[in-house]
């Protein structure tokens, strides 16, 4: 029996990479293999040296029956999800019956294409006896979809990484769910080189995503908020600034907005651009920051779990739920891009984080210790999973 990790799109999203590394640590490296949509990314960031990696998508000739069914769904019912899962079919068929399928895409049910993942799971259940969904976040509103609820009930175990999701799932009658923090709180740090402009303990880390910009009602106002923040840091403090990309996919690359900011202020010699590297190295860099502002969930978890006072530029239930569990409230700790109405909103929230930095650090250290203890227990439970 092996744990087969799936719903992994690739480690150029270093949050996804962090989940692979830490979930494989929970299930046992020698007892785990990964189905990846992007095996080349696993090789680039060293995942293939950690666990067995197999392609989730193949170009094998499709079954005529499966293709005709998918074509019918597309043309007659306007349902394209059956076509979407055809490339995954061969990998699913190759799973051994006694393997345990582990979905590690924690927020896959937060997006509009979640029916694709219901189909993948239900198809996989034809070939495997047991399945687990680890570290999920799900909008309570989404649970009005009975097809989603039915699929969730068919998992042998679900862990919710924050209590908003946990309570919502329990309220729908799910008996297979328990609370367990995001496994990335256990991600190791790996030392790496720092740019000369990066001063340990005197640098503010910034992470911004194209995803947030594209979803923002006013992307230029959001960028203006960052510019005003940077100008305030440079003119009124002795902190430097590090641009920290955490996702580097084509058409979804944090380096695009961050490079725009870097280019505008690079002549001050107070800003630096962090090069792409693996999740453990990025976490080490983030751990050396005095404070962190991030749009990517796992960039902020890297900061949280190393005691770095953090402001989350949140855009979904996962950001709110994680912050609420840590601090008792998301207020002041999460700033939704939808709530940015003035050019100084980001600056004001940053200044609040700095003012309360000592208390925040204490809370984060205490909570991370608590979370790691829960994750240690989950490791024992998973390794006994039959």
């Amino acid at each position: 029996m092996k744990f087969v990790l799936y719903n992994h799109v690739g480690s150029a999203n270093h949050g996804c990479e962090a989940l692979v590394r830490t979930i494989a640590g929970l299930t046992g490296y020698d007892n785990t293999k990964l189905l990846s949509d992007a095996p080349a990314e696993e090789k680039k960031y060293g995942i293939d040296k950690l666990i067995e990696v197999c392609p989730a998508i193949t170009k094998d000739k499709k079954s005529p029956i499966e293709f005709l069914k998918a074509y019918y769904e597309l043309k007659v019912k306007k349902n394209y999800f059956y076509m979407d899962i055809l490339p995954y079919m061969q990998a699913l068929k190759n799973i051994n019956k006694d393997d345990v399928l582990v979905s590690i895409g924690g927020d896959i049910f937060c997006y509009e294409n979640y029916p694709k993942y219901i189909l993948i799971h239900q198809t996989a259940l034809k070939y495997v006896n047991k399945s687990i969904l680890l570290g999920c976040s799900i909008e309570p509103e989404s649970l009005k979809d009975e097809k989603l609820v039915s699929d969730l009930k068919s998992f042998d175990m679900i862990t919710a990484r924050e209590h908003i999701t946990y309570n919502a799932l329990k309220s729908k009658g799910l008996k297979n769910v328990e609370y367990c923090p995001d496994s990335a709180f256990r991600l190791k740090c790996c030392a790496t080189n720092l740019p000369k402009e990066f001063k340990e303990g005197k640098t503010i880390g910034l992470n911004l995503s194209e995803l947030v910009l594209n979803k923002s009602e006013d992307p230029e106002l959001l960028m203006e908020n960052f510019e005003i923040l940077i100008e305030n840091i440079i003119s009124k403090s002795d902190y430097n600034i590090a641009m920290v990309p955490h996702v580097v996919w084509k058409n979804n690359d944090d380096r695009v907005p961050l490079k725009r900011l870097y280019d505008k202020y690079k002549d001050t010699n107070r800003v630096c651009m962090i090069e792409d590297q693996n999740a453990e190295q990025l976490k080490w860099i983030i751990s050396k920051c005095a404070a962190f502002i991030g749009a990517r969930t796992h960039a902020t978890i890297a900061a949280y779990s190393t005691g770095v006072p953090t402001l989350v530029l949140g855009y979904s239930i996962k950001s709110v739920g994680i912050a609420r569990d840590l601090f008792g409230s998301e207020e002041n700790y999460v700033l939704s891009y939808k709530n940015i109405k003035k050019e100084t909103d980001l600056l004001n929230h940053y200044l609040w984080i700095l003012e309360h930095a000592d208390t925040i650090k204490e809370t984060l250290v205490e909570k991370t210790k608590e979370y790691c203890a829960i994750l240690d227990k989950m490791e024992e439970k998973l390794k006994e999973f039959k």
Side-chain angles (χ1 to χ4, degrees):
M1 183 272 281
K2 277 201 169 188
F3 290 96
V4 181
L5 313 185
Y6 78 115
N7 287 336
H8 173 71
V9 285
S11 287
N13 180 325
H14 295 299
C16 296
E17 179 200 350
L19 290 176
V20 171
R21 289 181 180 276
T22 53
I23 289 173
L26 296 175
T27 55
Y29 302 119
D30 294 335
N31 199 35
T32 303
K33 70 178 180 179
L34 171 68
L35 298 182
S36 172
D37 288 10
E41 293 179 13
E42 314 318 322
K43 185 174 182 179
K44 180 177 180 179
Y45 299 108
I47 296 299
D48 64 325
K49 293 181 175 63
L50 193 68
I51 57 174
E52 179 185 356
V53 175
C54 301
I57 297 172
T58 64
K59 296 181 179 179
D60 295 345
K61 188 175 180 180
K62 307 299 184 293
S63 159
I65 295 175
E66 291 166 354
F67 176 80
L68 287 173
K69 179 180 180 181
Y71 188 79
Y72 172 81
E73 290 285 339
L74 177 64
K75 291 299 182 181
V76 177
K77 298 185 179 180
K78 309 302 180 186
N79 181 347
Y80 59 86
F81 296 115
Y82 284 84
M83 279 292 186
D84 280 355
I85 73 165
L86 282 180
Y88 296 89
M89 293 298 293
Q90 190 57 51
L92 296 177
K93 291 176 182 178
N94 289 340
I95 300 171
N96 292 323
K97 196 72 175 176
D98 60 347
D99 287 340
V100 179
L101 199 62
V102 183
S103 176
I104 62 172
D107 56 357
I108 57 174
F109 297 115
C110 290
Y111 303 110
E112 292 180 357
N113 69 337
Y114 72 83
K116 167 184 172 180
Y117 298 102
I118 294 176
L119 273 176
I120 289 176
H121 182 228
Q122 291 303 312
T123 301
L125 289 180
K126 298 175 183 177
Y127 307 105
V128 68
N129 287 324
K130 293 190 176 182
S131 65
I132 300 172
L133 171 59
L134 286 184
C136 71
S137 288
I138 302 175
E139 294 279 354
E141 189 74 12
S142 300
L143 296 175
K144 291 180 179 179
D145 183 350
E146 290 304 321
K147 288 183 178 179
L148 173 57
V149 173
S150 177
D151 179 59
L152 293 171
K153 287 181 177 179
S154 67
F155 284 95
D156 291 274
M157 182 174 73
I158 296 173
T159 69
R161 62 179 160 189
E162 28 73 25
H163 279 88
I164 296 177
T165 294
Y166 173 78
N167 291 330
L169 292 174
K170 295 295 284 186
S171 73
K172 294 298 289 187
L174 272 75
K175 301 185 185 303
N176 56 343
V177 60
E178 55 187 277
Y179 166 71
C180 183
D182 194 299
S183 61
F185 275 88
R186 279 208 338 178
L187 182 70
K188 297 175 183 176
C189 290
C190 181
T192 186
N193 295 325
L194 292 171
K196 66 180 187 302
E197 298 89 356
F198 193 109
K199 299 189 296 184
E200 292 191 32
K202 295 295 291 184
T203 295
I204 307 300
L206 300 183
N207 167 258
L208 178 59
S209 71
E210 287 190 296
L211 179 64
V212 163
L213 282 174
N214 291 338
K215 288 190 173 186
S216 173
E217 294 178 5
D218 190 343
E220 288 308 311
L221 176 60
L222 180 53
M223 289 299 288
E224 187 179 358
N225 266 260
F226 272 89
E227 290 168 1
I228 287 173
L229 170 68
I230 291 169
E231 288 164 9
N232 179 276
I233 292 171
I234 290 172
S235 64
K236 296 188 178 180
S237 78
D238 59 352
Y239 290 120
N240 282 3
I241 298 157
M243 311 297 177
V244 187
H246 216 253
V247 175
V248 292
W249 281 327
K250 186 178 180 181
N251 301 322
N252 189 3
D253 192 334
D254 297 354
R255 292 172 297 188
V256 174
L258 291 173
K259 183 71 162 51
R260 177 177 160 186
L261 292 169
Y262 170 77
D263 285 344
K264 184 165 184 175
Y265 298 102
K266 62 183 179 182
D267 291 340
T268 66
N269 296 316
R270 298 276 298 281
V271 300
C272 61
M273 189 80 182
I274 300 300
E275 296 296 322
D276 181 40
Q277 47 208 294
N278 73 37
E280 293 180 336
Q281 293 167 318
L282 290 171
K283 180 170 181 174
W284 184 82
I285 292 169
I286 290 170
S287 76
K288 302 302 180 183
C289 293
F292 190 77
I293 298 171
R296 298 289 185 180
T297 299
H298 283 94
T300 61
I301 288 177
Y304 283 154
S305 58
T306 51
V308 177
T310 300
L311 172 63
V312 178
L313 195 62
Y315 60 89
S316 74
I317 193 68
K318 55 187 176 181
S319 300
V320 173
I322 292 169
R324 192 178 294 179
D325 281 353
L326 284 169
F327 304 109
S329 170
E330 67 275 21
E331 187 177 358
N332 298 314
Y333 302 99
V334 178
L335 174 61
S336 171
Y337 60 88
K338 293 181 180 179
N339 293 335
I340 292 181
K341 306 298 183 185
K342 298 184 296 185
E343 64 275 7
T344 57
D345 284 340
L346 185 61
L347 172 61
N348 290 336
H349 277 72
Y350 159 77
L351 293 174
W352 189 94
I353 293 291
L354 279 193
E355 183 182 350
H356 298 84
D358 290 342
T359 302
I360 293 171
K361 286 179 185 179
E362 291 175 6
T363 299
L364 289 174
V365 169
E366 181 181 331
K367 279 289 188 178
T368 298
K369 185 177 180 181
E370 174 188 322
Y371 285 5
C372 286
I374 297 173
L375 286 161
D376 287 346
K377 291 180 181 178
M378 180 55 62
E379 178 179 352
E380 294 306 312
K381 183 169 185 176
L382 287 170
K383 286 180 178 176
E384 294 173 0
F385 201 88
K386 303 293 183 186

